[in-house]
Amino acid sequence: MASDNSHDAADLNSVLRTLSSLAAGSSQSTASAQPQNIHPETAGPIHRPTPEIASHNPHQPQSNALNRPATPTVDPATITTWPAALRYVMRTVAQSEETQLRIRGLIRSQHSHERQWWNSREALVKKQLDSKEVSTAKEDEAEITNYDAKVYKASAQMADALIAELRGLRIPFFVLRSGLVRDSPAGGDVKSSDQAASGVTRNELADLQRRMLELLQDLCKE
């Protein structure tokens, strides 16, 4: 059955090459790039914003500067509560079309790869059904298991790439200082009134990150 692996191996290898390119930071801008990886189910790598060069013409109106969103005074690496994170995002991401375009690219790429992986798996199953006379149920199961393991590894790489991109964009809860993240106490979570002073638990941080991803998808949907 080894010779039958070429169909989906090519597709998966293509995805893994894309993921490798993303991790190396060698991909092109998401405005024109082919789908990359985000996990969540991953969009392509994003170039960091390039500072605009001010005009040397004293008579030219500085419209770009006037339209630029105000620089936030809060360091996102210190934000540990949802209300503070929401205010920060609405003052930055919501007012920056460039940032929204980058996040849309991440979402688009993630969805594209998820569809590609699913379609390749369906094609593999169909191929096995069409070639029952030359393969056994055990061989088919091993082939599916091998494919699923490759997809799991690729999706994990894609998730790491997404987190790296969100860190680069300074999104709250993805740039939180390590000193503000603590293990959950054995007796349960600390009181909410103590949360801001003591940071967040790892479980709380995971929940806040998922909530932030949902907000970004709603804010940047096409």
Side-chain angles (χ1 to χ4, degrees), residues 182 189-190 195 199-209:
R182 54 183 168 74
D189 290 339
V190 296
Q195 182 177 359
V200 296
T201 66
R202 298 187 186 281
N203 288 341
E204 289 170 340
L205 179 59
D207 289 339
L208 289 168
Q209 287 177 338

Side-chain angles (χ1 to χ4, degrees), residues 12 21-22 27 35 43 59 69 72 101 108 126 139 142 146 150 157 175 195-196 210 215 219:
L12 188 57
S21 174
L22 173 60
S27 59
H59 302 293
L101 285 172
R108 188 185 307 118
K126 184 178 185 302
E139 289 174 330
N146 181 57
K150 291 180 179 179
Q157 290 178 299
V175 290
Q195 182 177 359
R210 283 192 291 269
L215 172 64
L219 190 62

Side-chain angles (χ1 to χ4, degrees), residues 151-197:
V151 170
Y152 178 83
K153 180 179 179 180
S155 65
Q157 290 178 299
M158 193 164 61
D160 291 341
L162 168 64
I163 291 174
E165 293 300 334
L166 294 178
R167 283 185 186 137
L169 291 171
R170 305 290 291 167
I171 301 299
F173 307 132
F174 292 93
V175 290
L176 187 62
R177 292 175 184 170
S178 59
L180 294 174
V181 182
R182 54 183 168 74
D183 294 327
S184 298
D189 290 339
V190 296
K191 295 179 180 180
S192 58
S193 59
D194 299 330
Q195 182 177 359

